[in-house]
C-alpha cells in the first residue's frame, strides 16, 4: 500500500512539472521583429551551433577541393 502511494505521488509530481506550457513565450520570442533570422533567435547557443556548422562545412568543402586537385595531378615516377 505504501509503495503504491509513493510511486503514484512521484509519477503525478513529475507529470505536473512537465505540463508547464511554454509555447506562448516561445511564440513571442520567435515572432519578435528584431532583424535576426529564425535560426539565430534562440540566443548564444544557436549562434554557436550555426558558426560551428558553417565552419565545418567550409573546412569540408576546402578539403574536398584540395583532395580533388591532388588526385588530378599525375603521379611522380620513382
Amino acid at each position: 500500500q505504501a509503495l503504491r502511494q509513493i510511486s503514484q505521488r512521484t509519477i503525478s509530481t513529475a507529470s505536473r512539472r512537465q505540463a508547464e506550457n511554454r509555447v506562448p513565450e516561445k511564440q513571442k520570442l520567435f515572432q519578435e521583429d528584431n532583424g535576426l533570422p529564425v535560426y539565430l533567435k534562440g540566443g548564444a547557443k544557436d549562434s554557436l551551433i550555426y558558426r560551428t556548422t558553417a565552419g565545418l562545412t567550409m573546412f569540408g568543402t576546402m578539403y574536398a577541393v584540395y583532395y580533388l586537385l591532388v588526385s588530378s595531378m599525375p603521379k611522380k615516377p620513382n
Side-chain angles (χ1 to χ4, degrees):
Q1 182 73 13
L3 180 62
R4 193 169 114 202
Q5 202 173 26
I6 290 171
S7 65
Q8 282 179 339
R9 189 177 303 138
T10 306
I11 291 169
S12 66
T13 49
S15 63
R16 206 176 306 133
R17 261 185 266 135
Q18 290 175 351
E20 186 181 342
N21 188 3
R22 292 185 154 175
V23 172
E25 62 187 65
K26 291 290 184 183
Q27 282 178 333
K28 187 178 180 183
L29 173 72
F30 284 97
Q31 290 176 356
E32 184 180 329
D33 188 19
N34 56 6
L36 287 175
V38 124
Y39 52 87
L40 293 177
K41 285 193 177 194
K45 186 178 174 185
D46 281 355
S47 181
L48 179 68
I49 292 171
Y50 172 73
R51 289 174 189 220
T52 302
T53 304
L56 287 171
T57 303
M58 289 299 296
F59 174 76
T61 302
M62 291 186 307
Y63 182 75
V65 169
Y66 168 77
Y67 201 81
L68 282 170
L69 287 173
V70 167
S71 298
S72 69
M73 298 294 172
K75 282 191 169 183
K76 295 178 184 174
N78 288 345

